[in-house]
Amino acid sequence: MNHLPLSEAQVGAIALTMFDLAMLHPVDGIPAEPVAPAGRESECLQVQLGMPTVALDAELRRFLDAHNHRIAWYPEHPAGIGAHKLATPGWVLAVAEIRIALAALDQAPGRKVRSTVQQRFAEVEQEAWEDWVKLLRGSADSGLPVLFGAPDYHGPWVIAEILLEEDYRTA
């Protein structure tokens, strides 16, 4: 599995479950959002969205590099996935963060995992949790990050997908 549409309720249940299982942690030091050069706000938005209609000059390249650094940033010694990355779409979950989060899940007692999932997914289908963990394991196994991004159509709140190398703008 490399593509997972999720509703806002599913993301909430996933985030709370991950927090309860020590897979998700608040972090400090998130880089500030880069400021678009004056008069180039529209071009910067297009660049952030990956629209091929904009030619990247040096100024736009600096902006894009700063943007990509921000969305992919994680602490030098992550304790799991940064909580901010599941709070809003648009972040890249680094493989290092994912592997640490999965290690915490794998070390948690099975009974605790089952009861936490049952509690947090009481009103949301548990299949979303199972699919989320499969996506994270696919990322960890492949060594490719996950984009927690907004959908490009009306439907789910977010789409989580493993980024193929040619799709990963910060590579």
Side-chain angles (χ1 to χ4, degrees):
M1 168 175 291
N2 65 354
H3 180 87
L4 181 61
L6 296 164
S7 70
E8 192 170 2
Q10 290 169 324
V11 171
I14 286 168
L16 291 171
T17 301
M18 291 180 68
F19 183 79
D20 292 346
L21 297 174
M23 300 171 67
L24 187 74
H25 298 274
V27 296
D28 293 324
I30 302 164
E33 189 164 344
V35 176
R40 301 199 72 186
E41 294 83 359
S42 177
E43 290 173 289
C44 288
L45 179 59
Q46 292 175 50
V47 166
Q48 285 176 312
L49 296 173
M51 297 174 74
T53 56
V54 178
L56 288 178
D57 59 25
E59 189 174 46
L60 288 177
R61 170 56 64 191
R62 281 190 301 278
F63 176 83
L64 180 59
D65 289 346
H67 169 73
N68 287 341
H69 171 73
R70 179 177 188 267
I71 66 171
W73 177 88
Y74 61 94
E76 185 177 349
H77 302 289
I81 295 171
H84 67 284
K85 292 187 175 185
L86 296 190
T88 57
W91 297 95
V92 174
L93 312 182
V95 176
E97 294 175 294
I98 291 169
R99 287 180 175 156
I100 291 167
L102 288 172
L105 175 63
D106 293 341
Q107 293 171 5
R111 180 177 289 153
K112 179 179 180 176
V113 173
R114 283 188 300 278
S115 68
T116 301
V117 170
Q118 287 172 352
Q119 175 190 0
R120 294 299 188 186
F121 285 83
E123 298 179 19
V124 180
E125 58 278 356
Q126 278 188 2
E127 186 176 291
W129 172 253
E130 295 160 6
D131 289 344
W132 175 250
V133 172
K134 287 178 194 173
L135 182 80
L136 294 181
R137 292 199 189 282
S139 169
D141 291 347
S142 68
L144 297 171
V146 169
L147 174 64
F148 192 74
D152 54 4
Y153 59 91
H154 298 288
W157 186 66
V158 71
I159 295 179
E161 60 186 324
I162 296 175
L163 291 174
L164 304 177
E165 289 184 63
E166 62 268 12
D167 293 337
Y168 192 36
R169 294 176 293 178
T170 60

